Amino acid sequence: MDYDKIKRLITLVEQNKLTELAVEEEGLSVTIKAEALEKHIAPVATAQPGLHGEFEEVFVEEIFEAPDEEIAAENLVEIRSLMIGVFYRCPSPDSPSYIEVGDEIEVGQTIGLIEAMKVFSEVPSEVAGKVIAVPAESGKLVQQGDVLVVVETTS
């Protein structure tokens, strides 16, 4: 499990005010507890089975950096997915992306597509401004509420 996935899980716990979240992937089990996050310690289970075949829970110091000042700015808006589906940054593989980091966008401008049940839906920008980041990967599944694009608003 990579750093970005663990960071997204921590965000999920914080945003939804969960007390605990356990995820197992490819033989690695990760448990995130809200009380541990408050102390800046994240519990992580080792991938090596301990006695009786159980995973031993180990506490490690949190490796996540404090958010960048740029991300914490009040004039940044996260455009989130309204549905579950596959996100695409361009209309076809040989076409340019709808947007790139640094582009100025307008309200209503298409920032990407989401494919759900073989239907493609355009994702319009909710704000005008400069594209700061595009955390959603093209061709990857996004969940409802996932951040697709971060925009620095002009007003």
Side-chain angles (χ1 to χ4, degrees), residues 99-155:
I99 58 166
E100 294 292 342
V101 173
D103 287 355
E104 291 290 331
I105 61 173
E106 299 297 323
V107 174
Q109 180 177 338
T110 301
I111 61 166
L113 300 172
I114 294 183
E115 176 192 12
M117 297 176 23
K118 308 238 186 250
V119 175
F120 289 85
S121 300
E122 290 185 351
V123 180
S125 174
E126 304 159 355
V127 295
K130 181 179 179 181
V131 176
I132 299 299
V134 185
E137 291 183 54
S138 191
K140 300 287 183 177
L141 182 67
V142 293
Q143 300 293 323
Q144 182 177 2
D146 283 356
V147 177
L148 303 175
V149 178
V150 179
V151 179
E152 182 178 30
T153 59
T154 53
S155 54

